[in-house]
Amino acid sequence: MIKRLFLLLFLLVAFVYQSRAQDQTQLADTLIINGETIIMLGDSVIILRPEEPVYWKKGGNFNLSIQQVSLTNWSAGGASNMALNTGLNLFANYKKDKKIWDSKLTINFGFNRQSDRRFATRKTNDNFIFLSKYGRELSERWYLSTQIDARTQLLAGYRYFRPGGAERDSRNRISDLLAPAYIQSSTGLNYKREFKNDDKVSIIGSPFTGRFTVVMDDSLSRAGAFGVIPGEVVRAEAGMSLTSSTDIQILENIRWKADLNLFSNYENLGNMVVNFNSVISMKVNKFITTRIETILIYDESVLITRSDKPPGPAIQLQNLINFGIGLEF
């Protein structure tokens, strides 16, 4: 009986000692050196490094759609053709303390080819747009910002027509790389707001805006194309502008991005230069998307040649519906 009591007492003491030992190992010594937390737990040393702040957000997307129709001895008529449309969008946004710097590059290109016509390959889409904005925070959603907006195209553009009595088409070159190019610099107040679901809204009102129209092609410059003085390369204007950028999630797989730029020359207030870009992206899965793109431009200095009217200003409208590969990165 006594032996059993000693054995029970021994087991009880051993259990209490082990419990206290475990409690002591759970008590960790903590030391902070240069922002790093060092935890000593028993014989182990755990180093917790603070998360480094992220100042840059970078990314973009690429889309590609291809259509091909091949006809051989086709009794219903028609013509073989191929169409391609592609686009690349890149962004890099920086934010630290009270400074922001947002940049965005958009490149779109497309063409179609129809083998039975003269000038079989013809451009359908060609845009190069670069936006960069630097701002200093005044309050939570207001910034004093300066923005650069540069727009041009990559390849020559032609107007196709068929002269009276002719059997084949002819063409005139009406634009080219840096002919025209539009560079706009503006400084003003920027209202910027970001929502938890990644929706973004930005509006800049600028009473101090410089707009430069560049025509680097000699023949187009001599003709006074795009509002430049004949023989001159650059036309400079001073005025005011309003710029807005919207990025909104409409539904779970549908996103709408739109950019609007309005400019009015001080010499002729009220006559607006309008640039509006809209993209609705509908994601089918990780790699397949449908995009509806709309571009609207109005500029009184750009004279549009039409068959039923003399050359004059007109609304320029481009609509694209693409179904194809879409990659986010």
Side-chain angles (χ1 to χ4, degrees), residues 313-329:
I315 295 176
Q316 305 172 55
L317 185 63
Q318 181 186 72
N319 285 308
L320 299 171
I321 300 178
N322 299 322
F323 178 81
I325 299 173
L327 302 176
E328 301 281 343
F329 50 86

Side-chain angles (χ1 to χ4, degrees), residues 126-186:
D126 187 1
N127 297 302
F128 180 98
I129 304 173
F130 175 73
L131 301 173
S132 187
K133 177 180 64 179
Y134 177 82
R136 299 278 298 187
E137 183 179 331
L138 300 177
S139 63
E140 183 180 0
R141 296 173 184 168
W142 290 94
Y143 296 82
L144 179 62
S145 297
T146 296
Q147 177 170 280
I148 296 292
D149 182 325
R151 302 168 185 257
T152 186
Q153 61 191 57
L154 301 177
L155 300 177
Y158 297 90
R159 181 177 70 88
Y160 298 92
F161 61 96
R162 180 167 296 183
E167 296 183 356
R168 307 191 70 185
D169 290 343
S170 296
R171 69 180 185 180
N172 288 333
R173 186 165 58 88
I174 58 175
S175 62
D176 210 333
L177 174 65
L178 300 179
Y182 299 100
I183 302 172
Q184 182 173 302
S185 175
S186 56

Side-chain angles (χ1 to χ4, degrees), residues 113-122 160-163 166-171:
R113 179 177 179 82
Q114 189 169 317
S115 58
D116 64 343
R117 67 186 179 189
R118 190 184 184 194
F119 312 116
T121 302
R122 302 186 183 186
Y160 298 92
F161 61 96
R162 180 167 296 183
E167 296 183 356
R168 307 191 70 185
D169 290 343
S170 296
R171 69 180 185 180

Side-chain angles (χ1 to χ4, degrees), residues 171-237:
R171 69 180 185 180
N172 288 333
R173 186 165 58 88
I174 58 175
S175 62
D176 210 333
L177 174 65
L178 300 179
Y182 299 100
I183 302 172
Q184 182 173 302
S185 175
S186 56
T187 299
L189 285 178
N190 176 202
Y191 174 81
K192 182 177 179 179
R193 185 173 182 182
E194 298 184 4
F195 301 87
K196 293 183 179 179
N197 59 352
D198 290 335
D199 289 356
K200 303 178 183 67
V201 175
S202 176
I203 302 173
I204 302 177
S206 172
F208 312 106
T209 302
R211 189 170 190 264
F212 303 89
T213 302
V214 180
V215 181
M216 297 296 293
D217 183 87
D218 291 339
S219 61
L220 294 173
S221 174
R222 287 194 297 268
F226 307 104
V228 300
I229 298 174
E232 297 290 335
V233 175
V234 179
R235 177 193 179 194
E237 300 174 87

Side-chain angles (χ1 to χ4, degrees), residues 15-263:
F15 176 78
V16 172
Y17 179 82
Q18 184 179 5
S19 299
R20 291 187 62 186
Q22 289 179 353
D23 291 341
Q24 288 176 357
T25 58
Q26 291 175 358
L27 294 177
D29 293 328
T30 303
L31 182 64
I32 300 178
I33 301 177
N34 292 331
E36 294 185 352
T37 302
I38 302 176
I39 301 175
M40 300 186 65
L41 186 61
D43 295 332
S44 302
V45 177
I46 302 174
I47 300 177
L48 299 179
R49 300 182 184 276
E51 292 186 4
E52 295 185 1
V54 177
Y55 301 123
W56 283 98
K57 291 184 179 180
K58 304 175 185 178
N61 62 76
F62 171 79
N63 63 85
L64 173 67
S65 62
I66 301 175
Q67 176 187 348
Q68 182 179 7
V69 178
S70 180
L71 303 176
T72 303
N73 302 323
W74 192 250
S75 62
S80 300
N81 67 82
M82 184 184 73
L84 178 145
N85 195 76
T86 184
L88 176 66
N89 298 276
L90 302 173
F91 72 86
N93 299 333
Y94 174 85
K95 184 175 182 179
K96 181 180 179 181
D97 300 330
K98 294 188 176 183
K99 296 177 289 185
I100 62 168
W101 182 19
D102 298 341
S103 298
K104 179 168 59 176
L105 174 65
T106 301
I107 301 175
N108 294 317
F109 180 76
F111 71 88
N112 66 42
R113 179 177 179 82
Q114 189 169 317
S115 58
D116 64 343
R117 67 186 179 189
R118 190 184 184 194
F119 312 116
T121 302
R122 302 186 183 186
K123 183 175 66 173
T124 58
N125 190 16
D126 187 1
N127 297 302
F128 180 98
I129 304 173
F130 175 73
L131 301 173
S132 187
K133 177 180 64 179
Y134 177 82
R136 299 278 298 187
E137 183 179 331
L138 300 177
S139 63
E140 183 180 0
R141 296 173 184 168
W142 290 94
Y143 296 82
L144 179 62
S145 297
T146 296
Q147 177 170 280
I148 296 292
D149 182 325
R151 302 168 185 257
T152 186
Q153 61 191 57
L154 301 177
L155 300 177
Y158 297 90
R159 181 177 70 88
Y160 298 92
F161 61 96
R162 180 167 296 183
E167 296 183 356
R168 307 191 70 185
D169 290 343
S170 296
R171 69 180 185 180
N172 288 333
R173 186 165 58 88
I174 58 175
S175 62
D176 210 333
L177 174 65
L178 300 179
Y182 299 100
I183 302 172
Q184 182 173 302
S185 175
S186 56
T187 299
L189 285 178
N190 176 202
Y191 174 81
K192 182 177 179 179
R193 185 173 182 182
E194 298 184 4
F195 301 87
K196 293 183 179 179
N197 59 352
D198 290 335
D199 289 356
K200 303 178 183 67
V201 175
S202 176
I203 302 173
I204 302 177
S206 172
F208 312 106
T209 302
R211 189 170 190 264
F212 303 89
T213 302
V214 180
V215 181
M216 297 296 293
D217 183 87
D218 291 339
S219 61
L220 294 173
S221 174
R222 287 194 297 268
F226 307 104
V228 300
I229 298 174
E232 297 290 335
V233 175
V234 179
R235 177 193 179 194
E237 300 174 87
M240 61 178 62
S241 65
L242 178 68
T243 303
S244 69
S245 178
T246 305
D247 186 350
I248 296 177
Q249 189 82 29
I250 300 176
L251 294 174
E252 182 179 356
N253 292 323
I254 301 178
R255 196 161 195 90
W256 178 49
K257 298 181 180 180
D259 295 308
L260 174 65
N261 185 285
L262 304 175
F263 172 81

